[in-house]
Amino acid sequence: MRIIVRAVLAAMLAAAVARVVHLASPFDLHEATKSLSAFLHVYGAIYGTLLAFLIFVVWGQFVAAEAGVAREAKALQELAALCRAGRRDGCEEVLQPIREYARIAVGSEWKGLAEGKPTPAADQAFLAIQTAVLRSSASTEAEELARATIIRVAERAAALRAERVAVSITRIPPTLWATLVFASGLLCFSIGLLDAEPLASTYMTAGMTLVVVLLLGVIADMDNPFDGTFNASRVPMEALKHL
């Protein structure tokens, strides 16, 4: 909803600017139309390529972050299932750290990732899982084989966690974001300089600004999978709390 409100306000402001330009322009817009049209043709192609590239990259990172949560949670669920199946007396000493880690992962770590900050508590909680796995004992040959498999799964979960955290804190570089915002503003302003009837010019400027600001809002929102309107799902991690 905030994205839509911002886009509408920006469109209204751009329409007002376009109206003022047509009413108080110090030069003849008709004389500049041909050269301005050629400029917009080339500029629009460059801008569209940049925008499409960013959408592709940001969407890929968003999907990777969400998939990373699911893959890590699945590895921990497999770890818990193997632990239960491979030990006659169960392994509560492993299951409890997994539950605690899940609680922190969807709580303080989720907020930390939204801010691009590390979460030492989550690191310590995951280390507790690894420690519990390594300390678990085996009284029979079957349990020893199961323990070896559990250790391998725990190592895979650690690798998946490292990958997931790395993807989750990746953001659009500030310089690239500033370039995109400036390019968007220049495009919307240039539309208002086209030689058209005042009402048509106002409509085109407002429409272009509305669409551009909406696209920028969606890109900014997807750039952070843990905050905003579109967020990665917490469901896989939430399920670990009930093992």
Side-chain angles (χ1 to χ4, degrees):
M1 183 61 68
R2 288 180 297 177
I3 296 174
I4 296 176
V5 172
R6 290 172 183 172
V8 171
L9 291 176
M12 293 173 61
L13 177 60
V17 171
R19 185 72 173 177
V20 170
V21 167
H22 270 265
L23 293 176
S25 176
F27 56 91
D28 188 354
L29 293 177
H30 180 72
E31 294 295 329
T33 295
K34 185 175 293 186
S35 57
L36 182 60
S37 297
F39 165 76
L40 283 174
H41 180 75
V42 176
Y43 183 81
I46 297 173
Y47 178 82
T49 302
L50 174 63
L51 193 64
F53 171 75
L54 272 178
I55 291 175
F56 175 78
V57 171
V58 171
W59 174 249
Q61 289 179 345
F62 179 90
V63 171
E66 187 168 49
V69 173
R71 285 196 295 267
E72 182 187 348
K74 184 176 180 180
L76 291 174
Q77 287 177 342
E78 183 181 349
L79 177 65
L82 285 171
C83 188
R84 284 192 172 110
R87 297 192 58 197
R88 183 169 43 193
D89 299 328
C91 50
E92 186 63 26
E93 68 273 17
V94 175
L95 296 179
Q96 185 56 38
I98 293 178
R99 298 188 193 106
E100 179 63 18
Y101 168 70
R103 185 186 64 79
I104 296 174
V106 298
S108 58
E109 185 180 44
W110 206 268
K111 296 178 181 178
L113 291 174
E115 298 172 358
K117 299 177 181 178
T119 310
D123 295 335
Q124 292 299 320
F126 193 86
L127 181 60
I129 298 175
Q130 303 290 87
T131 302
V133 169
L134 293 175
R135 287 180 177 175
S136 60
S137 59
S139 57
T140 65
E141 183 178 351
E143 289 183 358
E144 185 62 37
L145 290 174
R147 182 175 181 275
T149 303
I150 289 171
I151 290 176
R152 287 197 298 270
V153 173
E155 291 173 348
R156 178 159 58 87
L160 290 172
R161 168 174 164 74
E163 179 183 346
R164 191 257 300 179
V165 172
V167 172
S168 298
I169 61 177
T170 301
R171 301 286 185 269
I172 297 175
T175 50
L176 180 56
W177 183 248
T179 301
L180 180 62
V181 172
F182 175 78
S184 301
L186 180 59
L187 174 64
C188 296
F189 178 76
S190 298
I191 293 294
L193 295 179
L194 288 172
D195 182 33
E197 292 295 326
L199 182 60
S201 176
T202 302
Y203 171 77
M204 288 189 298
T205 304
M208 177 63 72
T209 303
L210 180 67
V211 172
V212 167
V213 175
L214 281 174
L215 285 173
L216 293 180
V218 171
I219 291 173
D221 195 56
M222 287 193 305
D223 190 42
N224 190 338
F226 302 96
D227 189 31
T229 304
F230 305 102
N231 295 325
S233 175
R234 304 187 190 199
V235 174
M237 282 293 180
E238 291 279 1
L240 295 176
K241 298 192 296 184
H242 307 292
L243 288 176

